[in-house]
Amino acid sequence: MTEVSEILMSVLSTIRVPRPGDSVHKDECAFSFSSPESEGGLYVCMNSFLGFGSKYVERHHAKTGQRAYLHITRTRKTQKEDENNSGSGDPPKKKPTRLAIGIEGGFDVEQEQYEEEVKVVLFPDRQEVTSEDLASMPDVVRERVSLSMAGLQAADSVSHILQVQQWDGEVRQESKYAAELKQLDNGVKIPPSGWKCEVCDLQENLWMNLTDGKVFCGRKYFDGSGGNNHALLYYQQSGYPLAVKLGTITPDGADVYSYDEDDMVLDSKLPEHLSHFGIDMMTMEKTERTITELEIAVNQRVGEWEVIQESGSTLRPLWGPGLTGMKNLGNSCYLNSVMQVLFTIPDFQTKYVSNIDKVFNEAPSDPTQDFKAQVAKLGYGLLSGEYSKPAPDPGDDPSTSTEPRGDQLGIAPRMFKALVGRGHPEFSTNRQQDAQEFLLHFINMVERNCRSGMNPSEAFRFLVEEKIVCQQSQKAKYTQRVDYIVQLPVPMDQATNMEELQEAERRREEADSSGAPPPAAPRAQIPFAACFAALSEPETLTDFWSSAVQAKTTATKTTRFASFPDHLVIQIKKFTFGLDWVPKKLDVSIDVPDTLDLSALHAMGQQPGEELLPEVAPPPLMTPDVEVKAPVLDDSTVSQLCEMGFPLEACRKAVYYTGNTGIDAAMNWVMGHMEDPDFSAPLVLPGSSSAPGTTPTESLPEEHLATIVSMGFSRDQATRALRATNNVLERAVDWIFSHLDDLESMDVSEGGRSEGGSETSREPPPGPRVRDGPGKYELFAFISHMGTSTMCGHYVCHIKKDQQWVIFNDQKVCASEKPPKDLGYLYFYRRVVE
């Protein structure tokens, strides 16, 4: 028996064969972005199935004693032939014809052609064992090692499973009207060409109703292009549900839309329905793009949106430390933009990158599930410059390619995205998300994982002081709350080009009435000072319950900064609701300044001679029977709010806190409290210790209590959190981290207040830890959004590095020529210390 076979025999018990459900990390290193394609390849532990690059495999061996690793190396095949030349044996690359990923006709997933080599490597001496070497070894060794190798090669990697391989946005259902569609015998015959809308004479984007053969134009798009909605208006008048898009009819099918089902549908009897109006489907040729092709065109155009992405300029690619691009994993540009900005901030660099060896050494046995390790890995990947290299052209031989390309090799944050999104209903998906919501979500995770030691989220944390003055008694009430983002409203009535906007609206109304195409709409010009004034000016409260006069009266509320953070984040509230409660984005240009001085907005606190409102709670809205704990609520108002999609408990609170005064008041309450951390938490009545439906302490799930206590909280705190969230563990954890200020007043020990201590002898609990300093700032980064909603479109960020603005557009990192500072969504300022 050879030395190698003896070693394999001695470690045979540690070599496992992957089973269903095992996580196999064979595409990415747990501590870096090394992969089988990287220099040195990837080493997969044959016991834990974790992957490690050549830089970190020795660390894992030394820490665990594991000796057997499957070494995977992949070399990309060269494609010297032109893409359109099929002489290579591979078909030419086709343009997508289907709004899908990973299926025939859809977008290609990153599946380049590689030559793969695998072998077993035994540490610490790095002895190599190939499949051929196993043939001469004892049967027990050959069988176990071969099965493990084959199992690892055949297993789907974690990154592959997480990636949406076969998302199909084009799957259509058979219309419920197709089989029994009523068609009128009105003698209408449709010619093979020369169509136009019967109302406005438009000659494109035309839809023929399959019931009576009427031809009308399609919907008007968000930017004013498209049709004039005449096909939709005709359905609303006639009730005829199905229409086919003229110009998309081919022997293979056509675009059919169901107005009643509000979706693109299939019509299995389409040839019959078309022949009723003289259209022979087998002879028709396509003359217009289908709806899918239009959507695909938008997807392919994502990298070309002009102003924000500076596509009108030839941008110079940048490389090096701090200039690393990030791959888009499928609508992950919101995450890419936020993390690029955060790792420009010294607090995050110090916490995760400067101490990266300490973070990795303290990581648990599975670092892919450790928050600190994955954040440190991402930060090092962005800042080190190791991955800031030109991406090789798929058609070039890497050994001969010398011309740098705009795209970078970059990093693909798959492990990070999977970890921070785990369990979240939105961030765990591949749908587009709101960058502001993700920023707060990530800050919340940082808060959870930094209960001891340095907390980089303190860079954003500040105190807000709200002062309410009762106009009848002139007595005041002061409250403070912690915040991380300043949300600036957009006062559209303060636009400096109001006359231009009014004239454009008048022309649009004229076009609507005449059926003519709408004119291009100008962009509203809003002064930044007007946005801040809308935030800082006193707000009138018309329904304020004053404890001084024991009645409802008018009050004014003023908001000021009780502290100024080191880094200030400003969100421009461009996303709002129309009169029909449909979300819309305000098309505005705001002259955001490079420097800010907020000193005048610092809170002054209680003034000399100023009286405070008595600390008396308002009378609860309850039945005369004090034993009845349920609030008296207008069920119809609650139902109306629920039908709009808001959580039941939020609707109940809205009706309760507005005193059953109607849907308008309740809706205003909902819109004003949507971002409250306990927005969806159960309604808790004044004087009651728990929400309706909660159980006594003895009935709380013991495993939930144990989980929260293990995170460093007391049993009393865990009990309170579970009671407030109907015993839902995930919600309880979110609740407890959003109520840290309240929980500070509770003893951390499980026994509660000590017997020797009295209420009066206890020192007041410490407040939240915030930094303070001068209120002067300079702009260093901003994130911009393109599209009509935060749920779609694209994000990019601009960051100022060494006095040069740099645009980070996923994998593209370039010197910015014209940073569009007036079109941003999130702005990041840092304190200027004189």
Side-chain angles (χ1 to χ4, degrees), residues 21 89 93 129 147 181 210 250 349 373 386 518 549 651 761 809 829:
K93 190 174 180 180
V129 182
L147 284 174
L181 182 68
L210 287 172
T250 70
Q349 296 176 356
E386 288 184 13
V549 299
C651 300
S761 66
N809 184 2
Y829 286 83

Side-chain angles (χ1 to χ4, degrees), residues 452-515:
S452 60
M454 177 186 177
N455 185 346
S457 66
E458 289 177 8
F460 300 122
R461 191 189 298 161
F462 62 95
L463 287 175
V464 176
E465 179 190 273
E466 291 184 346
K467 174 183 178 181
I468 298 178
V469 178
C470 168
Q471 293 301 291
Q472 191 168 339
S473 66
Q474 290 302 306
K475 294 182 178 180
K477 175 184 179 181
Y478 288 88
T479 58
Q480 285 190 345
R481 58 179 170 84
V482 174
D483 216 331
Y484 296 87
I485 294 180
V486 176
Q487 296 181 312
L488 289 188
V490 180
M492 295 296 291
D493 58 345
Q494 299 295 312
T496 57
N497 59 336
M498 186 62 73
E499 291 185 3
E500 181 186 12
L501 295 173
Q502 291 172 344
E503 176 63 20
E505 178 63 19
R506 185 187 63 78
R507 294 199 307 269
R508 187 191 65 79
E509 291 175 354
E510 289 179 354
D512 284 347
S513 60
S514 64

Side-chain angles (χ1 to χ4, degrees), residues 434-738:
D434 187 340
Q436 180 256 1
E437 291 181 2
F438 176 75
L439 172 61
L440 290 178
H441 171 73
F442 182 73
I443 288 176
N444 192 30
M445 295 195 75
V446 172
E447 294 278 11
R448 294 187 195 183
N449 288 275
C450 296
R451 288 183 58 78
S452 60
M454 177 186 177
N455 185 346
S457 66
E458 289 177 8
F460 300 122
R461 191 189 298 161
F462 62 95
L463 287 175
V464 176
E465 179 190 273
E466 291 184 346
K467 174 183 178 181
I468 298 178
V469 178
C470 168
Q471 293 301 291
Q472 191 168 339
S473 66
Q474 290 302 306
K475 294 182 178 180
K477 175 184 179 181
Y478 288 88
T479 58
Q480 285 190 345
R481 58 179 170 84
V482 174
D483 216 331
Y484 296 87
I485 294 180
V486 176
Q487 296 181 312
L488 289 188
V490 180
M492 295 296 291
D493 58 345
Q494 299 295 312
T496 57
N497 59 336
M498 186 62 73
E499 291 185 3
E500 181 186 12
L501 295 173
Q502 291 172 344
E503 176 63 20
E505 178 63 19
R506 185 187 63 78
R507 294 199 307 269
R508 187 191 65 79
E509 291 175 354
E510 289 179 354
D512 284 347
S513 60
S514 64
R523 177 172 289 134
Q525 309 289 326
I526 311 293
F528 181 79
C531 298
F532 241 106
L535 175 74
S536 58
E537 287 179 353
E539 175 186 356
T540 300
L541 308 178
T542 58
D543 215 16
F544 175 73
W545 191 88
S546 171
S547 58
V549 299
Q550 291 290 300
K552 289 185 177 180
T553 183
T554 303
T556 57
K557 182 176 78 171
T558 306
T559 302
R560 291 290 184 269
F561 289 90
S563 68
F564 288 124
D566 288 349
H567 292 78
L568 182 71
V569 185
I570 294 178
Q571 176 195 15
I572 303 297
K573 299 183 70 173
K574 292 184 174 184
F575 300 97
T576 182
F577 290 90
L579 297 177
D580 53 0
W581 296 109
V582 174
K584 67 176 184 178
K585 179 180 176 181
L586 302 176
D587 186 18
V588 295
S589 170
I590 300 176
D591 59 337
V592 176
D594 289 319
T595 59
L596 275 179
D597 188 350
L598 305 180
S599 305
L601 295 179
H602 201 288
M604 304 299 292
Q606 184 179 357
Q607 298 301 295
E610 186 177 53
E611 292 188 59
L612 298 181
L613 284 165
E615 291 291 335
V616 180
L621 180 64
M622 300 170 63
T623 62
D625 184 356
V626 294
E627 295 300 321
V628 178
K629 298 298 183 182
V632 178
L633 301 177
D634 183 349
D635 289 338
S636 63
T637 305
V638 174
S639 297
Q640 283 180 271
L641 292 173
C642 287
E643 289 172 1
M644 295 179 186
F646 299 110
L648 172 61
E649 288 298 334
C651 300
R652 297 179 74 243
K653 286 194 284 189
V655 176
Y656 175 80
Y657 287 117
T658 55
N660 286 331
T661 53
I663 185 66
D664 290 340
M667 192 68 227
N668 288 334
W669 188 95
V670 167
M671 301 310 295
H673 292 78
M674 287 182 69
E675 295 172 3
D676 292 356
D678 57 351
F679 178 66
S680 302
L683 171 62
V684 180
L685 300 180
S688 65
S689 60
S690 63
T694 55
T695 56
T697 307
E698 292 76 11
S699 302
L700 293 173
E702 191 62 37
E703 64 274 14
H704 290 1
L705 285 169
T707 298
I708 298 177
V709 169
S710 70
M711 300 172 69
F713 298 100
S714 72
R715 188 179 180 86
D716 289 341
Q717 292 170 331
T719 298
R720 185 174 173 185
L722 287 167
R723 281 183 167 181
T725 55
N726 278 341
N727 296 340
V728 179
L729 178 60
E730 291 78 9
R731 288 176 54 197
V733 172
D734 284 335
W735 186 94
I736 205 168
F737 280 103
S738 61

